[in-house]
Amino acid sequence: MAPLWKAGAALAALREELSGDVFAPQDPGYDEARAVFNAMIDRRPAVIAQCADADDVVRTVRFARELDLNVAVRGGGHSVAGMAVNDGGVVVDLRRMHAVTVDPAARAARVAGGATMSHLDRATEPYGLATTGGRASTTGVGGFVLGGGTGWLDRCFGLAVDNLLGVELVTADGSRVHASADENPELFWALHGGGGNFGVATALTLRLHELPEFSLALLLYLPEHGPEAVRTYREVIANGPDEAAGGVIYLTGPPEEFVPEHLVGRLVCGVLLTYAGGEDDMRKVAQPLLALPHEAEIVGPMPYADLQCMIDDPPGMRNYWSAEYLAQAPDDFVDVFCARAGSMPVPTGTQHVLFPQGGAIAAGPREYPVPYRDAPWAVHPFGVWEDPADDERCVRWVRDVRADARPWSTGAVYLNFIGDEGDDRVTAGLGTDNTRRLAELKRRYDPDNVFRFNHNITPA
Ligand SMILES: Cc1cc2nc3c(=O)[nH]c(=O)nc-3n(C[C@H](O)[C@H](O)[C@H](O)COP(=O)(O)OP(=O)(O)OC[C@H]3O[C@@H](n4cnc5c(N)ncnc54)[C@H](O)[C@@H]3O)c2cc1C
């Protein structure tokens, strides 16, 4: 730890040199600056640097190194474990760096490191272009992509990392490097799942795809019809084209216009069939689901970017999430999955989700550290609630879901869907051989583990 006089002088210099703002605990705005999506996280960094550009990031990393402080990187602040903030360290806050530049001819977008999904989707939409994004508009593109990235378009366009063309990075010694298939290819490989372990991504270049039309069927079923709805959805996906995606979501019926009174505040089984194409084709695929008795529906065309912000979770809630990736989802699994919905804490914001994979995810490049690629289904329970008195029952329910799913699990997991579940789960999220290779690269790029507020890879 640096002596106080040195820390004070360095902080004053940082305030002077940075184009963006700097917050220390005594500054007005500090509490707002340290708040993240998950209200269970309450950490007090020594310094939060709201960087305005890549030079600010370099200065902030060098400042942290000079004072021997650890660095947390904040993009959208959505990490459920609160990895965007630390206690007593430096936060490189990228939220001001959110520009997205679309090159329609090259079918590519350069996305600044602090942009959210909504910045990306709204920038590409006017060109009829899109790429795999997360399912909430406020998630940071940086954390999402570097961790793998799944969303409504992944069965069509692959994981987000499959669309990564280049990364502009500030490394632990404050250097700026570019990683792509041609430049620093080993580092580029590591950024396909290795998250924020290797530095601060000040910009990412992503491949875009044509998406002229998008449509969906969102259907709500009574819980007693859940098993039939889930089995039907499973068959629709198994027999349908890669354009079809979505998921099964048990949730508390929300007070929305399309939800009838008798479902509001009660457990409902929702099936969302998203379709990267027009309504007529979508209806043909969704027909078996539409034929089942359901209580509410939204069926028709919808701009993709609109769906992206339709189910945004509000900030300020308490969150605990986990996930298991399944080798298969046979009927006995479906029965267990649906039965567990019966003990879901209701009414809360908690959701019990089954996502399909397959399609372009399964057909994607084999070499990256994303070992969950081959699993056809993912169970993703997320506990979302308001009252701290519910902490224990909500966390327990999420753990119960995981325990239920384990007999069908491949053992691999997508790290962006889980909190801090220990080193073995990090290895499960990267693959054993990949973890070794990543640890060697971590030693090369961050031997002191300055970037440790992530699903951490210990330097070899
Ligand atoms: C409401 C909600 C919905 C979600 N939906 C999806 C979904 O549909 N699909 C999906 O795949 N995931 C989803 N996620 C998970 C999400 O992808 C991860 O939480 C992801 O890490 C969030 O990135 P962030 O930048 O918002 O978070 P942060 O908390 O800011 O960062 C998360 C991690 O990434 C690192 N990081 C962030 N930006 C950078 C950067 N520019 N350079 C280097 N490191 C960086 C941070 O240091 C931290 O370790 C969702 C999360 C939430 C809260």
Side-chain angles (χ1 to χ4, degrees), residues 73 75-79 84 94 113 135 140 143-144 150 196 199 201 321 414 416 453:
V73 183
H78 268 197
S79 149
L94 300 170
R135 301 167 181 90
F144 165 82
T150 82
W321 303 5
Y414 171 39
N416 270 353
F453 297 95

Side-chain angles (χ1 to χ4, degrees), residues 37-40 77-82 135-136 138-139 144 150 311-314 317-325 349-353 355 379-385 391 394-402 413-421 425 455:
F37 181 81
N38 185 356
M40 292 179 93
H78 268 197
S79 149
V80 73
R135 301 167 181 90
T138 48
T139 299
F144 165 82
T150 82
I311 50 175
D312 277 351
D313 293 329
M317 305 288 282
R318 302 173 81 75
N319 281 261
Y320 183 86
W321 303 5
S322 196
E324 285 292 340
Y325 279 71
T350 298
Q351 298 184 18
H352 187 32
V353 177
F355 282 134
V379 176
H380 182 25
F382 44 114
V384 182
W385 68 101
D391 284 4
C394 289
V395 170
R396 190 173 3 107
W397 179 81
V398 170
R399 290 184 177 150
D400 286 346
V401 174
R402 249 200 89 193
V413 69
Y414 171 39
L415 293 173
N416 270 353
F417 275 175
I418 69 171
D420 185 355
E421 296 185 2
R425 285 282 268 179
H455 290 291

Side-chain angles (χ1 to χ4, degrees), residues 263-297:
L263 295 186
V264 174
R266 283 192 47 200
L267 180 72
V268 289
C269 174
V271 172
L272 173 63
L273 186 88
T274 58
Y275 195 81
E279 180 180 353
D280 290 348
D281 291 338
M282 180 274 292
R283 277 189 180 272
K284 284 181 207 143
V285 176
Q287 203 283 328
L289 289 161
L290 292 164
L292 294 179
H294 53 279
E295 308 291 305
E297 63 171 53

Side-chain angles (χ1 to χ4, degrees), residues 36-38 71-85 92 94 112-117 133-152 154 160 167-169 191 195-204 308 311-314 319 321 355 372 380 382 414-418 451-455:
V36 288
F37 181 81
N38 185 356
V71 177
V73 183
R74 181 190 181 124
H78 268 197
S79 149
V80 73
M83 286 159 180
V85 281
V92 174
L94 300 170
T116 62
M117 227 43 81
R135 301 167 181 90
S137 70
T138 48
T139 299
V141 176
F144 165 82
V145 173
L146 299 175
T150 82
W152 309 126
D154 53 14
V167 182
E168 295 162 41
L169 201 73
L191 296 169
N197 270 284
F198 298 93
V200 186
T202 53
L204 303 96
Q308 284 291 77
I311 50 175
D312 277 351
D313 293 329
N319 281 261
W321 303 5
F355 282 134
Y372 49 89
H380 182 25
F382 44 114
Y414 171 39
L415 293 173
N416 270 353
F417 275 175
I418 69 171
F451 299 111
R452 64 181 61 182
F453 297 95
N454 40 47
H455 290 291

Side-chain angles (χ1 to χ4, degrees), residues 89-101:
V90 174
V91 174
V92 174
D93 183 339
L94 300 170
R95 279 177 289 178
R96 291 187 180 194
M97 297 169 57
H98 55 70
V100 177
T101 315

